[in-house]
Amino acid sequence: KIDFGRRPTIYSPLDKQACADHDRSSGEGAKPQEYTLIKLRVLELAKEVVQGDGADRVQEMLEAGKVFMVAATLRPETM
């Protein structure tokens, strides 16, 4: 979804631009869907995840509270 002012539109990954309803060969009448994003701070990771060259950097970021995951849902009432 791309917003321009208060007018949401559909983005075409194929054409890499916004497209109007009548420009699509299929999916006419489709409207943008509104997702709710939920930001979750990571407190710790399994040891198997924090391995390799960047393990020290990941550990520093975890300790500083700078690691987050974002979940998207169409039904926020279920979270």
Side-chain angles (χ1 to χ4, degrees), residues 51-72:
Q51 296 181 22
D53 297 336
D56 293 335
R57 179 72 178 127
V58 171
Q59 194 60 41
E60 288 173 16
M61 291 175 72
L62 279 172
E63 290 170 5
K66 294 181 180 179
V67 179
F68 295 91
M69 291 187 185
V70 178

Side-chain angles (χ1 to χ4, degrees), residues 36-40 68-72:
T36 299
L37 300 178
I38 300 163
K39 183 178 174 181
L40 306 166
F68 295 91
M69 291 187 185
V70 178

